[in-house]
């Protein structure tokens, strides 16, 4: 198999955010880890289009406060600046469940964010629940807590 250049991979990512090229063979565990890393990268960049492409239509986020937000509400708060993520520094990742169609990943990162005007760096643990939909991983929901 011919290797895919980094430029070709980046072009594919820009054109088709969240979709894995059929030219690229991927390890399922690494694909799930890549989803977490993309999630964090797009969250910090404030790129709601690319972030939204990673999330199922009925996605929901359970914040560390217990507040539940829909995909649309969370993305709109990022877009408006009510939730602004400055950085996310990865500490630890573990894929705790992995089948052909379902995965659970627990990621721990130091997240510098301003949430409704309150800025802090939180030790944020995200438990991502992913399902394979039409051959692609989507994040179904996230449970956030501190570690």
């Amino acid at each position: 198999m011919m290797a895919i250049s980094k430029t070709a991979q980046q072009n594919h990512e820009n054109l088709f955010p969240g979709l894995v090229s059929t030219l690229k063979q991927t390890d399922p565990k690494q694909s799930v880890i890549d989803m977490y890393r993309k999630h964090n990268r797009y969250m910090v960049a404030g790129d709601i289009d690319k972030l939204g492409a990673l999330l199922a239509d009925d996605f929901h986020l359970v914040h560390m406060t217990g507040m539940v937000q829909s995909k649309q509400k969370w993305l709109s708060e990022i877009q408006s600046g009510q939730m602004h993520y400055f950085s996310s520094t990865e500490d630890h990742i573990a894929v705790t469940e992995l089948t052909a169609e379902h995965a659970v990943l627990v990621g721990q990162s130091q997240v510098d964010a301003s949430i409704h005007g309150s800025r802090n760096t939180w030790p944020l643990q995200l438990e991502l629940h992913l399902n394979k939909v039409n051959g692609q991983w989507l994040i179904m929901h996230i449970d956030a807590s501190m570690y």
Side-chain angles (χ1 to χ4, degrees):
M1 179 197 298
M2 186 160 116
I4 306 300
S5 72
K6 288 188 184 252
T7 301
Q9 290 175 21
Q10 186 61 45
N11 289 341
H12 183 274
E13 174 62 27
N14 289 336
L15 290 170
F16 310 104
L19 297 178
V20 177
S21 169
T22 56
L23 299 175
K24 185 178 176 187
Q25 299 261 338
T26 57
D27 168 35
K29 182 177 179 181
Q30 189 59 50
S31 294
V32 170
I33 291 170
D34 289 347
M35 288 289 288
Y36 172 73
R37 290 180 174 152
K38 286 178 186 178
H39 167 270
N40 285 340
R41 186 169 62 245
Y42 300 155
M43 190 176 70
V44 169
D47 192 330
I48 61 167
D49 292 330
K50 287 183 180 177
L51 181 58
L54 303 179
L55 310 176
D57 289 340
D58 59 350
F59 166 88
H60 67 276
L61 169 63
V62 181
H63 290 274
M64 61 181 132
T65 61
M67 179 179 72
V68 179
Q69 276 189 314
S70 68
K71 173 182 178 174
Q72 295 76 18
K73 181 67 174 164
W74 185 47
L75 294 177
S76 73
E77 290 206 354
I78 292 171
Q79 185 174 38
S80 73
Q82 290 294 309
M83 294 187 170
H84 182 86
Y85 301 91
F86 297 95
S87 68
S88 178
T89 305
E90 187 178 297
D91 282 339
H92 181 75
I93 298 175
V95 177
T96 59
E97 292 179 38
L98 182 60
T99 68
E101 302 297 320
H102 177 74
V104 177
L105 176 145
V106 176
Q108 297 175 332
S109 298
Q110 297 293 319
V111 177
D112 177 7
S114 175
I115 307 299
H116 300 280
S118 178
R119 186 170 179 177
N120 196 6
T121 299
W122 285 277
L124 189 63
Q125 177 170 294
L126 298 180
E127 184 177 279
L128 280 68
H129 295 260
L130 304 99
N131 285 350
K132 205 166 240 189
V133 178
N134 297 324
Q136 301 298 323
W137 288 107
L138 285 178
I139 303 170
M140 307 309 288
H141 74 273
I142 297 175
D143 296 316
S145 60
M146 289 196 298
Y147 65 98

